[in-house]
């Protein structure tokens, strides 16, 4: 009987490793170099896997290969299967596949550096790669990362979230404008003029304001850098989480406490499924670092950002 008959039959570990290399590297050439194989061999191995499964796993229509929805789902299963095999044949060996963590702009805020340092000390065999991706789920939904730090409400199907902490919202205003002279601000102070929004990866929408003071003019941008540039140029004001003040200081932008805005939840998100075998350790460490409090997370240098000066220089 041919091993090509029926889903799952004839699939070997090499098929899974080839698929994961392509998924991680985003291309056949880089995957082949990583595996020490030729490009034709990797292409044939991937095609054989798709034929066995009866599903297209990789979209080949662009230069940078991307996973299909079926590929995103299968990737988590393949990671679990390869991880279980590696652990079974070499129990003492740490999983060496990088754990890729996406974020849209501020990662874990004041906890980012302490977490990365603690991870390196405790899990040196599993690199933790922090990737900034301007996307509402920081690349998680499309399979670019294994987990993501997200803010606000996440209602994307197939994503599971855990709230790690909440942070205050702050106003971002032009450093040389009249609002920068204020110690703190309220939503009504911003609603009278243009508000800069980032609908791609941001969390602020006009619904943050009560209807009677909702801004009538908005300016949309596609990423945090353009958001900061627009505010510094005086084209409008913005609202963001307090971590932005620490991770994205800008000489032309002043951050001020926003007294009447609700706090912003910071989430650790993963896809619903087996996922990377190191994900439970990431969640455990994140909770531990957050539990110490920002004042202890990095030797007392973190804490609430200094919002008194122009920017956070």
């Amino acid at each position: 009987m041919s091993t090509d008959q029926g889903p799952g039959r004839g699939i070997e570990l090499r098929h899974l490793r080839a698929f994961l290399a392509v998924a991680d590297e985003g291309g056949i050439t880089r995957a082949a170099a990583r595996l020490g194989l030729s490009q034709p061999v990797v292409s044939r191995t991937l095609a054989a896997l798709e034929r066995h499964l009866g599903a297209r796993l990789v979209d080949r229509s662009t230069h940078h290969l991307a996973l299909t929805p079926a590929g995103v789902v299968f990737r988590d299963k393949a990671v679990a299967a390869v991880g279980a095999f590696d652990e079974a044949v070499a129990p003492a060996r740490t999983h060496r596949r990088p754990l890729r963590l996406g974020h849209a702009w501020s990662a874990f805020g004041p906890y980012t550096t302490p977490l990365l340092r603690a991870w390196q000390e405790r899990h040196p065999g599993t690199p933790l790669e922090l990737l900034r991706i301007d996307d509402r789920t920081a690349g998680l939904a499309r399979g670019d990362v294994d987990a993501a730090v997200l803010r606000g409400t996440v209602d994307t199907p197939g994503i599971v979230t855990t709230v790690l902490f909440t942070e205050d919202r702050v106003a971002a205003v032009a450093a040389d404008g009249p609002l920068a002279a204020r110690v703190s601000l309220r939503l009504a102070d911003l609603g009278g003029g243009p508000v800069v929004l980032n609908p791609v990866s941001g969390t602020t929408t006009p619904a943050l304001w009560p209807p009677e003071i909702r801004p009538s003019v908005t300016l949309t941008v596609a990423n945090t850098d353009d958001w900061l540039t627009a505010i510094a140029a005086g084209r409008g004001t913005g609202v963001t989480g307090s971590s932005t003040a620490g991770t994205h200081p800008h000489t032309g932008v002043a951050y001020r406490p926003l007294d009447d805005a609700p706090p912003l939840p910071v989430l650790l998100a993963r896809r619903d499924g087996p996922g990377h075998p190191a994900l439970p350790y990431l969640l455990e460490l994140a909770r531990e670092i957050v539990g110490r409090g920002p004042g202890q997370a990095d030797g007392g240098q973190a804490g609430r950002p200094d919002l008194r000066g122009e920017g956070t220089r």
Side-chain angles (χ1 to χ4, degrees), residues 114-136:
L115 186 140
L116 293 177
R117 288 178 175 174
W119 181 271
Q120 175 62 26
E121 292 175 358
R122 299 187 190 183
H123 306 282
T126 303
L128 180 59
E129 298 180 354
L130 190 63
L131 305 173
R132 176 180 164 184
I133 301 176
D134 287 304
D135 176 78
R136 184 64 191 96

Side-chain angles (χ1 to χ4, degrees), residues 299-312:
Q301 298 301 314
R304 183 165 178 163
D306 183 0
L307 307 178
R308 295 170 295 178
E310 295 182 357
T312 53

Side-chain angles (χ1 to χ4, degrees), residues 124-260:
T126 303
L128 180 59
E129 298 180 354
L130 190 63
L131 305 173
R132 176 180 164 184
I133 301 176
D134 287 304
D135 176 78
R136 184 64 191 96
T137 65
L140 183 61
R142 62 179 190 239
D144 290 346
V145 296
D146 302 296
V149 185
L150 306 177
R151 283 168 168 77
T153 302
V154 178
D155 53 10
T156 305
I159 290 182
V160 178
T161 61
T162 300
V163 178
L164 295 177
F165 61 97
T166 61
E167 61 184 19
D168 294 336
R169 295 182 197 249
V170 299
V173 301
D176 59 355
L179 293 178
R182 304 270 294 275
V183 175
S184 64
L185 297 168
R186 299 179 66 84
L187 288 170
D189 298 323
L190 310 180
V195 173
V196 186
L197 304 176
N198 175 7
V200 177
S201 58
T203 58
T204 303
T205 70
L208 179 66
W209 283 260
E212 63 273 13
I213 59 171
R214 192 160 292 166
S216 58
V217 180
T218 60
L219 171 67
T220 59
V221 296
N223 55 61
T224 302
D225 296 330
D226 291 346
W227 180 81
L228 289 167
T229 299
I231 294 171
R235 300 182 64 189
T237 59
V239 176
T240 185
S242 59
S243 291
T244 307
T247 55
H248 294 282
H250 193 293
T251 56
V253 176
Y255 297 95
R256 296 291 177 265
L258 199 52
D259 294 336
D260 58 345

Side-chain angles (χ1 to χ4, degrees), residues 17-18 20-23 25-37 42:
R17 293 196 190 280
L20 289 177
V22 172
E25 301 295 338
I28 299 294
T29 301
R30 291 188 295 273
R34 169 173 156 178
L35 296 170
L37 301 173
V42 174

